[in-house]
Amino acid sequence: MSDPLVEAALAARARAYAPYSRFAVGAALRTAEGAIHAGCNVENAAYPEGTCAEAGAIAAMALAGGRHITELVVAGGGTAPCTPCGGCRQKIREFAAPETLVRMVDAEGRLLLRATLAELLPHSFGPDNLAGAGA
């Protein structure tokens, strides 16, 4: 059974630039309109200047005019799920509801973990917290 979101995450992972850690990650998201956007991690010799795959996928979505994530897949390597880092969880929250499904798959696309954004980022702060705050 083919899953375009998993396939996009795996294809992005194959393009990752990870010469230092050798830990390639790909991410793909689906928007409310059904569009799929992907990103890969891009490392940098100045280590904190690298970017995560999830951030790349979100940037691609924003560039295309998307503003709402309905589902996300993160593809990492190894047997442990590659969950989004804390910063990426907050970036995802900017464009996704707490009930949004996040799936973590291995390098072959096998499901390792599925969780809602609320499970990954409990008691989150998002755009709805600013409603009526003069923002």
Side-chain angles (χ1 to χ4, degrees), residues 1-8 10 30 36 103 108-109:
M1 180 163 130
S2 175
D3 185 328
L5 207 54
V6 171
E7 290 173 8
L10 292 174
R30 182 177 289 116
I36 293 176
R103 293 184 285 154
E108 281 75 46

Side-chain angles (χ1 to χ4, degrees), residues 23 74 76-84 104-106 112-114:
F23 191 77
V74 181
T79 58
C82 181
T83 59
M104 282 62 63
V105 301
D106 68 11
L112 298 174
L113 178 66
R114 70 183 277 146

Side-chain angles (χ1 to χ4, degrees), residues 89-107:
R89 292 175 196 210
Q90 188 62 47
K91 288 175 180 74
I92 296 163
R93 177 63 179 94
E94 185 67 21
F95 298 98
E99 63 273 7
T100 300
L101 178 63
V102 181
R103 293 184 285 154
M104 282 62 63
V105 301
D106 68 11

